[in-house]
Amino acid sequence: MDLSLPSEALNWRRRAKAFAEEHLFPHEIELEMNGSLPAATLDRLRRAVREHGLNGVNHAREVGGQGCSQLEQTLIGEELGKATGALWAIVPHPAVALKHGTQQQIDAYLRPSCLMERRACVAVTEPGAGSDPRTILTRADMRDGRFVLNGEKWFVTSGDVADYLIVHANVDGDPDKPTLFLVDKALPGVRIAREPKFTHTYVFGHPEFVFENVEVGDGQVLGAVGGGLELTKDWFVEARLQIAANTLGAAIRAFELANAWASERHQFGRAIRDFQAIEFMLADMAVEIMATKSLVYRVSWEIDSGVDRKLVHARASALKLQASEMAGRVLDKAVQIFGGRGYMRENAVERLNREVRVDRIWEGTSEIQRVIIGGQLRKRGTDIFTGWD
Ligand SMILES: Cc1cc2nc3c(=O)[nH]c(=O)nc-3n(C[C@H](O)[C@H](O)[C@H](O)COP(=O)(O)OP(=O)(O)OC[C@H]3O[C@@H](n4cnc5c(N)ncnc54)[C@H](O)[C@@H]3O)c2cc1C
């Protein structure tokens, strides 16, 4: 049994690491202090993404992507996840649902998104529908051969910089017809209502959108009418894998910084790592990261080996739960090891500590991951989590 990483995967890791260190880390403080980056800097970073060949890693080469395996995507996500301010969001990851587009939609949306000429955002959540997307109220009514969209969407990540949205709406207001629509942001009736501030520093925004009588043709339906929930679930799975990789990277960076600081910092005449209280924290951090990394790599490898989709869904929840909660615990310890310096925004550990908090909320809260895992235990038994064939 050879568990070493393939050389091609290691090449991707090197490439992502170099990109993060050369292009993302140098902008962290500027972003933290100003809350945003100048347009010229963002343009330069986007060009750098293309130069490093990191655009569209989750899509096939035929549609403008890089055709990376899941394991390669995980290694890339781990390296990029080390950056603060969510600078990794500059590297586009066009929604997996776009794979189900018609040829026309692939040409008009997916390919240009992979090539960074266009950018999508995904609009599912509403004021009244969060963990339970089946209760959305946004509707698409057929009038004179066109769909007319009305509704409100919240927390639309990168909605400020995207030029089109993938909107989850119920056709005729019927909850049995959840459907995804490709909606160009410039269309009449599409409006950003508010751009709230959040706990974390994030290179882009999470605005709230309102749709008032927005007309789209039936060529804007992504997948089938009524197929929206299934496509949204696929998006959740991909996003959960990505969160697992990113939070793993965040935890590793914080751990390395805390480990170095524990040697450097002296109190009471010795390095603080000589106090067992500190040493034990470092030991727990090391083991937590090691266990999570094993899980994340294993599930990524299983996906590449073509494991059943339902199994992937269950394990992606386990992965997201474990990685995001592990990162919270590791970051909390890292802050503690840094003492007062761990509370200063100029310290990457302070920023990461704030930033990994959302990973227990978005793309399904920790409670929802447990609901999914619990449901799978009832349906399929323990083996899908504890077995290893
Ligand atoms: C920064 C940020 C960016 C986001 N980006 C996007 C985006 O791009 N697109 C998008 O569509 N959405 C986005 N979201 C929304 C995100 O996915 C939701 O916030 C999340 O799914 C939780 O929904 P909610 O906030 O309505 O909480 P609620 O569903 O109201 O949950 C509140 C609490 O109740 C708990 N709860 C709910 N149901 C159950 C249950 N069955 N069992 C046990 N506990 C339960 C939850 O775990 C939580 O603790 C984003 C959110 C944030 C904060």
Side-chain angles (χ1 to χ4, degrees):
M1 183 163 157
D2 181 8
L3 291 179
S4 55
L5 296 175
S7 62
E8 189 57 16
L10 290 171
N11 283 340
W12 280 105
R13 181 165 78 185
R14 266 193 291 277
R15 200 190 288 197
K17 184 175 162 59
F19 175 77
E21 289 175 0
E22 282 168 35
H23 297 281
L24 301 185
F25 290 6
H27 293 288
E28 289 180 328
I29 298 292
E30 181 188 4
L31 174 59
E32 180 62 26
M33 296 309 160
N34 301 335
S36 61
L37 290 178
T41 306
L42 289 171
D43 280 348
R44 200 156 20 82
L45 289 176
R46 288 192 188 101
R47 276 198 302 279
V49 173
R50 286 289 305 269
E51 281 157 19
H52 282 71
L54 289 169
N55 51 305
V57 295
N58 58 332
H59 287 280
R61 285 183 180 278
E62 304 83 71
V63 296
Q66 307 295 339
C68 289
S69 68
Q70 184 57 51
L71 183 62
E72 289 163 355
Q73 290 179 51
T74 293
L75 296 174
I76 294 166
E78 181 183 326
E79 291 308 322
L80 299 184
K82 292 177 181 174
T84 66
L87 278 160
W88 38 261
I90 289 170
V91 181
H93 226 255
V96 68
L98 290 165
K99 284 182 187 161
H100 300 275
T102 60
Q103 190 56 49
Q104 207 178 357
Q105 291 171 340
I106 286 173
D107 291 341
Y109 293 95
L110 178 54
R111 189 186 308 280
S113 299
C114 286
L115 297 174
M116 301 183 74
E117 293 155 2
R118 299 198 73 174
R119 183 160 187 135
C121 56
V122 180
V124 181
T125 306
E126 300 182 1
S131 297
D132 185 3
R134 286 169 305 182
T135 55
I136 60 160
L137 294 179
T138 299
R139 52 189 296 152
D141 297 283
M142 187 52 104
R143 274 187 227 149
D144 302 328
R146 290 173 74 73
F147 285 104
V148 180
L149 271 77
N150 280 286
E152 190 179 350
K153 294 290 182 185
W154 273 27
F155 303 115
V156 183
T157 295
S158 304
D160 51 338
V161 288
D163 72 313
Y164 71 100
L165 302 98
I166 300 175
V167 180
H168 187 122
N170 288 337
V171 167
D172 303 327
D174 182 348
D176 289 332
K177 292 188 201 158
T179 305
L180 297 186
F181 290 87
L182 293 162
V183 178
D184 288 11
K185 203 166 89 177
L187 279 181
V190 178
R191 172 167 70 84
I192 288 183
R194 220 163 64 94
E195 297 200 51
K197 296 275 179 223
F198 292 84
T199 304
H200 60 196
T201 298
Y202 195 100
V203 63
F204 303 129
H206 312 284
E208 295 169 8
F209 277 86
V210 170
F211 304 91
E212 283 161 337
N213 295 318
V214 178
E215 279 189 38
V216 295
D218 57 6
Q220 298 306 103
V221 172
L222 182 59
V225 168
L229 208 55
E230 281 309 300
L231 293 185
T232 294
K233 271 190 201 162
D234 281 353
W235 175 58
F236 282 149
V237 167
E238 185 175 61
R240 286 168 192 165
L241 293 165
Q242 223 185 316
I243 288 172
N246 284 171
T247 48
L248 177 62
I252 291 171
R253 183 175 180 197
F255 172 58
E256 287 171 354
L257 290 170
N259 187 53
W261 179 248
S263 299
E264 192 182 319
R265 178 68 171 170
H266 283 65
Q267 287 294 286
F268 299 97
R270 48 186 162 147
I272 57 170
R273 71 175 321 123
D274 292 342
F275 301 118
Q276 207 172 48
I278 300 292
E279 191 176 43
F280 277 20
M281 277 197 266
L282 290 168
D284 286 345
M285 290 158 88
V287 174
E288 287 237 58
I289 290 170
M290 186 182 168
T292 305
K293 187 178 240 196
S294 304
L295 178 64
V296 176
Y297 286 13
R298 171 198 164 178
V299 173
S300 304
W301 174 82
E302 281 173 348
I303 291 171
D304 292 334
S305 313
V307 76
D308 178 63
R309 182 173 171 268
K310 289 204 171 77
L311 217 61
V312 172
H313 189 212
R315 289 186 181 160
S317 285
L319 212 71
K320 198 255 187 190
L321 178 65
Q322 169 62 24
S324 60
E325 300 226 335
M326 176 279 295
R329 290 189 295 270
V330 166
L331 259 303
D332 188 69
K333 288 190 174 78
V335 169
Q336 199 65 18
I337 290 170
F338 269 97
R341 288 167 175 80
Y343 209 62
M344 295 168 83
R345 286 179 176 225
E346 63 200 44
N347 187 336
V349 160
E350 186 281 338
R351 300 194 297 276
L352 289 170
N353 183 46
R354 236 176 325 117
E355 290 166 9
V356 298
R357 184 63 184 89
V358 78
D359 294 301
R360 284 186 268 161
I361 296 173
W362 60 10
E363 316 300 357
T365 62
S366 286
E367 291 73 34
I368 293 303
Q369 307 312 327
R370 290 185 174 97
V371 168
I372 294 169
I373 294 163
Q376 291 291 323
L377 285 171
R378 265 198 302 278
K379 218 186 291 178
R380 296 172 214 282
T382 55
D383 205 50
I384 63 165
F385 298 107
T386 58
W388 191 313
D389 293 331

